[in-house]
Amino acid sequence: SRKCKDGSTGYHSFSARPVTKAGKIIGIEGFIIDTTERKNAMDAVIQEQEKAQRYIDVAKVMFMIQDAKGTVVLINKKGCEILGYEEHEIIGKDWYDNFLPDSVRQKTKDGIAGLLSKKHEPEEYHENYILTGTGEERLMGWYNSYVYDENGDIENIYCSGEDITERNKAEQALKESEERYRALVERANDGIAIVRNGEIQFINSRVFELFGY
């Protein structure tokens, strides 16, 4: 950096080499390139990246960007928390080989390959299991968006994922409970009906037998 006449700070790069005569160094020659605008532009980009990172870090869902090869290029704090890794342990890693269980890895890879080769259209929403650092499998619900290059090929995939493991377990438990309840009611010797506001909502098979309808 350098102090300019107007009090501002400028930046430059300097390249030099010695000038010799009769085997002795008699001076140096070189050139200076003003890099102030480039430095300011880079600082602005870094500030925007830091601002964007702060926004996604407060999100309550996993946010991740991966390139077309499946390499993770960005992930937020919630994503690190769900996966059970530090950020530096995730960035630069292959998403499919490192963070998906064997049961879904190849199917997911095939799906992405078909997407990249334009054999099918992108899905707005899908669910699949991920593999955490402890070896636990968690079910994620994903919303993805895609960034394309000038040739219309996918360049990056922006992934927003919610951990729906507990909700899925609750829904499955409710379904199993309803199935057990229905099986119990259907096997009952008594006729069972549910009537709401004078309208029959449910009857078991014993009612059919008793009334002959």
Side-chain angles (χ1 to χ4, degrees):
S1 63
R2 66 180 188 276
K3 195 73 172 179
C4 300
K5 186 177 181 179
D6 62 2
S8 63
T9 300
Y11 298 89
H12 64 270
S13 62
F14 178 69
S15 177
R17 65 183 181 86
V19 177
T20 60
K21 184 176 182 180
K24 294 183 178 180
I25 298 176
I26 61 173
I28 59 172
E29 62 180 6
F31 57 87
I32 296 175
I33 299 176
D34 189 339
T35 60
T36 305
E37 290 187 3
R38 184 175 68 186
K39 175 68 166 56
N40 291 339
M42 291 177 62
D43 287 346
V45 170
I46 291 172
Q47 289 175 4
E48 288 302 313
Q49 289 177 335
E50 291 176 346
K51 185 187 296 183
Q53 186 71 48
R54 287 197 296 271
Y55 285 142
I56 66 172
D57 276 341
V58 299
K60 300 302 182 183
V61 297
M62 177 191 291
F63 183 79
M64 172 182 64
I65 300 176
Q66 57 178 261
D67 63 20
K69 295 180 179 179
T71 302
V72 180
V73 297
L74 181 145
I75 192 165
N76 67 345
K77 287 184 178 179
K78 186 63 176 180
C80 296
E81 177 186 319
I82 292 173
L83 288 170
Y85 290 100
E86 297 294 330
E87 182 182 22
H88 70 272
E89 297 177 299
I90 302 172
I91 299 297
K93 297 290 183 63
D94 185 289
W95 173 254
Y96 309 105
D97 289 339
N98 291 278
F99 306 109
L100 295 185
D102 293 339
S103 58
V104 302
R105 181 178 298 124
Q106 192 56 52
K107 180 181 179 181
T108 308
K109 281 187 173 183
D110 292 343
I112 292 296
L115 191 61
L116 295 175
S117 62
K118 302 178 182 178
K119 290 182 179 180
H120 57 77
E121 294 297 318
E123 294 179 333
E124 181 181 354
Y125 176 81
H126 74 278
E127 299 177 0
N128 69 262
Y129 282 92
I130 62 170
L131 185 66
T132 70
T134 61
E136 180 186 12
E137 295 185 13
R138 307 288 297 180
L139 183 63
M140 302 292 296
W142 297 101
Y143 288 94
N144 296 338
S145 60
Y146 304 85
V147 178
Y148 298 86
D149 62 20
E150 62 276 7
N151 298 318
D153 297 321
I154 293 175
E155 191 171 45
N156 289 303
I157 305 175
Y158 286 60
C159 311
S160 175
E162 180 184 5
D163 187 342
I164 59 173
T165 307
E166 301 308 323
R167 187 179 75 193
N168 184 69
K169 288 180 179 178
E171 290 174 352
Q172 186 63 33
L174 178 61
K175 180 181 177 182
E176 292 173 356
S177 177
E178 289 175 344
E179 290 175 350
R180 287 195 299 268
Y181 172 76
R182 178 173 290 274
L184 179 64
V185 170
E186 288 295 344
R187 290 197 298 266
N189 290 323
D190 298 325
I192 299 175
I194 297 176
V195 180
R196 182 178 297 116
N197 297 325
E199 181 178 318
I200 298 174
Q201 303 291 323
F202 169 84
I203 53 177
N204 68 346
S205 57
R206 182 60 174 155
V207 174
F208 294 113
E209 298 172 3
L210 292 173
F211 286 88
Y213 288 101

